[in-house]
């Protein structure tokens, strides 16, 4: 049938009906809230390029986690800013490392929460790269050892999910083996499987003090021009034992999210990264866009593309909107 019998506007005239035929439903349970923990007490350093986000000492962080949980956002992704850095990122594997202490403190105070540990070396190395440097480049196989040690140490500290974000080849297998050997066979791995060398990480590197001191990350993170390669990355991570696969960033890669979900039917996460967040905030602050509306449109589009899980700095603001619409 065609026009005039078919009129697609018929389903749009009435608000109740529009709601009834809505295809994509964003839920508070889909959201993961990333937070940055730093040394000290009562520290709440604003991150200039990410309005509303802070580097927080553990005491402040615990309160922020309580606020998140009170809004129904129960999954937190933690990044650490350590006291000291070293060549290989060994500080990231210590029992009393900043993220390890933070996780213990959160778990002591809050019951109904899920802690996701980002596993990577870039916040912990003096040179800001994601692994050990040999001949001016990140050495894949020696980095695997520090990543596995970091993963086990974070699991011991209470991590509920391990999320390697380094993009070394073979890291999921090595981390899985190390976790299992240490009795953590129940802990899932959420791998940053298709992670691109992206300009959208700019604000995060200020937040986590993790900018590379020389070169860039294009020998390990993916070329933004490629999506067949993303499928190979994801396939490999699943083969090695990933339980959840991630595409990162999200907005410029909605096609990749779509392909990954369709091809592998795996629980799929997407990281709505710092630069995507900051652009919405900047345009909103200038009244160039309706910030709340754009935020919900962005998050809904990521879900529509196929993401089950969305990591976003908008998590609490989005939860407020979703909770009010119930
Ligand atoms: C660590 C890591 C990065 C992000 C998450 N984990 C930075 C990077 O790869 O340079 C970026 C997150 C964001 O921009 O919000 N490797």
């Amino acid at each position: 049938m065609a026009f005039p019998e078919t009129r697609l506007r018929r389903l749009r005239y009435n608000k109740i009906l529009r709601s009834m035929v809505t295809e994509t439903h964003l839920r508070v349970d889909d959201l993961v809230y990333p937070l940055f923990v730093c040394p000290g007490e009562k520290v709440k350093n604003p991150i200039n390029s990410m309005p509303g986000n802070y580097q927080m000492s553990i005491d402040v962080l615990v309160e922020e986690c309580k606020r998140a949980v009170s809004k129904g956002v129960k999954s937190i992704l933690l990044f650490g800013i350590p006291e000291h850095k070293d060549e290989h990122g060994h500080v990231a594997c210590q029992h009393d490392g900043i993220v390890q202490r933070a996780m213990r403190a959160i778990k002591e105070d809050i019951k109904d929460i899920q802690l996701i540990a980002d596993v990577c070396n870039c916040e912990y190395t003096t040179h800001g790269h994601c692994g050990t440097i040999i001949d001016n480049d990140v050495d894949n196989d020696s980095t695997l050892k520090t990543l596995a040690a970091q993963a086990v140490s974070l699991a011991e500290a209470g991590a509920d999910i391990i999320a390697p974000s380094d993009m070394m080849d073979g890291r999921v297998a090595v981390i899985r083996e190390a976790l299992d050997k240490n009795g953590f066979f129940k802990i899932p791995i959420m791998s940053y499987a298709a992670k691109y060398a992206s300009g959208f990480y700019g604000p995060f590197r200020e937040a986590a003090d993790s900018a590379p001191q020389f070169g860039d990350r294009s020998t390990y993170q993916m070329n933004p021009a490629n999506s067949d390669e993303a499928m190979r990355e994801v396939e490999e991570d699943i083969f090695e034992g990933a339980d959840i696969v991630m595409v990162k960033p999200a907005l410029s890669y909605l096609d990749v999210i779509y392909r990954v979900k369709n091809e592998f039917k795996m629980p799929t996460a997407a990281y709505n990264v710092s630069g995507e967040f900051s652009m919405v905030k900047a345009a909103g602050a200038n009244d160039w866009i309706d910030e709340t509306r754009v935020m919900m449109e962005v998050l809904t589009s990521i879900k529509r593309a196929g993401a089950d899980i969305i990591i976003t700095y908008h998590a609490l603001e989005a939860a407020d909107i979703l909770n009010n619409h119930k």
Side-chain angles (χ1 to χ4, degrees):
M1 245 193 289
F3 178 81
E5 288 83 3
T6 298
R7 288 179 181 271
L8 291 173
R9 288 186 63 196
R10 220 174 261 137
L11 296 179
R12 296 181 199 141
Y13 290 116
N14 167 337
K15 192 171 179 217
I16 300 173
L17 183 53
R18 280 200 301 275
S19 172
M20 198 176 236
V21 297
T22 299
E23 297 175 38
T24 304
H25 297 275
L26 188 66
R27 303 175 313 148
V28 177
D29 282 354
D30 304 333
L31 305 174
V32 175
Y33 186 36
L35 292 173
F36 301 93
V37 60
C38 68
E41 247 176 87
K42 297 196 173 68
V43 180
K44 195 174 175 187
N45 287 335
I47 300 160
N48 282 332
S49 53
M50 299 174 68
N53 288 265
Y54 303 85
Q55 297 177 337
M56 289 174 275
S57 54
I58 293 174
D59 49 335
V60 178
L61 176 83
V62 171
E63 293 311 308
E64 183 66 0
C65 287
K66 285 183 188 161
R67 196 165 78 90
V69 169
S70 76
K71 294 176 189 291
V73 177
K74 296 176 181 174
S75 296
I76 305 289
L77 175 62
L78 274 183
F79 295 100
I81 298 122
E83 271 107 350
H84 309 287
K85 304 190 186 222
D86 62 57
E87 275 280 306
H88 306 284
H90 290 316
V91 288
C93 316
Q94 288 166 353
H95 177 81
D96 62 349
I98 182 73
V99 175
Q100 285 84 344
R101 277 183 285 142
M103 288 190 156
R104 288 194 181 90
I106 294 168
K107 282 288 174 85
E108 206 157 284
D109 233 12
I110 309 172
K111 286 275 157 299
D112 199 16
I113 194 165
Q114 168 165 272
L115 298 181
I116 307 175
D118 184 271
V119 169
C120 193
N121 285 318
C122 63
E123 298 124 72
Y124 306 99
T125 50
T126 42
H127 44 73
H129 275 287
C130 299
T132 292
I133 301 290
I134 298 180
D135 288 339
N136 256 344
D137 194 14
V138 175
D139 182 66
N140 196 87
D141 298 12
S142 47
T143 299
L144 295 181
K145 296 191 186 75
T146 49
L147 293 171
Q150 191 184 341
V152 170
S153 168
L154 290 164
E156 283 167 356
D160 298 293
I161 298 179
I162 294 293
S165 72
D166 53 284
M167 287 299 279
M168 296 303 116
D169 286 319
R171 92 274 208 213
V172 173
V174 168
I175 289 172
R176 183 73 270 160
E177 193 190 339
L179 288 174
D180 288 359
K181 217 182 257 168
N182 286 277
F184 296 113
F185 59 90
K186 286 187 184 167
I187 297 201
I189 294 176
M190 175 165 83
S191 76
Y192 289 68
K195 178 174 178 179
Y196 288 87
S198 170
F200 286 99
Y201 306 151
F204 175 93
R205 292 179 186 170
E206 178 200 330
D209 184 25
S210 65
Q213 300 302 302
F214 65 90
D216 59 27
R217 304 210 201 289
S218 49
T219 70
Y220 42 106
Q221 297 180 348
M222 282 182 56
N223 177 349
N226 297 354
S227 89
D228 287 342
E229 188 188 351
M231 304 303 276
R232 295 188 66 196
E233 281 285 1
V234 170
E235 187 173 30
E236 177 65 24
D237 280 10
I238 295 169
F239 179 71
E240 290 181 25
D243 302 280
I244 301 171
V245 290
M246 193 197 302
V247 175
K248 177 184 174 190
L251 270 192
S252 291
Y253 301 87
L254 293 176
D255 57 322
V256 180
I257 297 171
Y258 181 81
R259 280 189 75 179
V260 167
K261 185 63 188 178
N262 269 282
E263 173 83 13
F264 300 106
K265 313 272 189 265
M266 289 282 290
T268 303
Y271 201 138
N272 176 219
V273 300
S274 57
E276 299 172 20
F277 168 85
S278 300
M279 289 197 304
V280 171
K281 285 285 165 190
N286 279 292
D287 272 330
W288 293 336
I289 56 169
D290 175 340
E291 184 183 318
T292 304
R293 183 175 169 184
V294 169
M295 167 183 79
M296 295 310 282
E297 191 173 331
V298 162
L299 297 175
T300 303
S301 73
I302 296 169
K303 178 125 195 218
R304 191 195 64 230
D308 307 291
I309 300 163
I310 303 173
I311 303 168
T312 179
Y313 305 96
H314 291 297
L316 301 202
E317 293 167 291
D320 282 340
I321 305 283
L322 295 170
N323 291 332
N324 284 337
H325 281 201
K326 265 190 190 148

